Amino acid sequence: MSAKDGTGPGTAWPLPKFHFEVSFGDGAPIGFQEVSGLDVETRPLDDRAGNSPAFSSVKMPGIRKTANVTLKKGGFAGDSTLWDWVAEVKINTVERRAVTIRLLDEAGAPAMIWRLVNAFPVKVQGTDLKAEGNEVVIETLELAHEGITIETG
């Protein structure tokens, strides 16, 4: 280890965020252009004991809240993976899947891993179409889930 390659003591570099992959359940990794919504928040609760002499409340941690995760990818001819999963959704019936998001290092090994528990699609959005545009097709998938766990490499 040396300071030259950024691995010595006190020389750690932040991870780049552009090399990642996403997989659904045990499926093969899928390339996405963007992943957002890896947020966890704890709602604070105000409480005050009835016999407390202080005329104020005490803050305590409450229910944990997670944001929906949004995934964006390029659309390809013959690829309806996102649309097929959304089409399976019926009232109170959906195939929930484990979703794994891996941030990869320069060697392609996982540096950080986010795992979504019991994820299911709540929204899929096709691309906008413009006769005078020259952009590629981008599909967006929004997932609800029951929690996020994170592992570091």
Side-chain angles (χ1 to χ4, degrees), residues 45-68:
L45 298 175
D46 290 324
D47 189 38
R48 181 179 175 273
N51 62 353
S52 173
F55 192 65
S56 63
S57 60
V58 176
K59 297 277 187 188
M60 299 185 320
I63 292 176
R64 185 170 292 151
K65 175 184 161 186
T66 56
N68 288 348

Side-chain angles (χ1 to χ4, degrees), residues 15-16 19 102-106 108-114 151-153:
L15 293 167
H19 191 195
R102 292 178 189 87
L103 179 62
L104 307 173
D105 63 15
E106 294 83 8
M112 295 182 77
I113 301 171
W114 292 266
E151 301 169 20
T152 56

Side-chain angles (χ1 to χ4, degrees), residues 68-71 86 120-125 140-144:
N68 288 348
V69 172
T70 303
L71 308 166
V86 170
F120 62 94
V122 294
K123 181 179 180 181
V124 66
Q125 181 178 351
T140 304
L141 176 68
E142 186 176 333
L143 300 173

Side-chain angles (χ1 to χ4, degrees), residues 63-145:
I63 292 176
R64 185 170 292 151
K65 175 184 161 186
T66 56
N68 288 348
V69 172
T70 303
L71 308 166
K72 294 183 179 183
K73 73 181 231 23
F76 294 91
D79 178 17
S80 61
T81 307
L82 305 182
W83 294 91
D84 293 345
W85 192 15
V86 170
E88 296 172 8
V89 176
K90 306 290 185 246
I91 292 179
N92 202 24
T93 305
V94 65
E95 179 190 352
R96 294 172 181 255
R97 298 180 186 171
V99 176
T100 305
I101 302 158
R102 292 178 189 87
L103 179 62
L104 307 173
D105 63 15
E106 294 83 8
M112 295 182 77
I113 301 171
W114 292 266
R115 297 186 193 278
L116 307 182
V117 179
N118 292 330
F120 62 94
V122 294
K123 181 179 180 181
V124 66
Q125 181 178 351
T127 193
D128 57 332
L129 303 173
K130 291 188 252 180
E132 64 228 16
N134 63 355
E135 298 90 13
V136 298
V137 170
I138 299 294
E139 297 177 325
T140 304
L141 176 68
E142 186 176 333
L143 300 173
H145 57 92

Side-chain angles (χ1 to χ4, degrees), residues 10-34:
T11 59
W13 297 94
L15 293 167
K17 63 180 186 175
F18 57 81
H19 191 195
F20 61 92
E21 64 186 16
V22 179
S23 57
F24 299 104
D26 295 330
I30 299 173
F32 281 86
Q33 178 185 11
E34 183 179 332

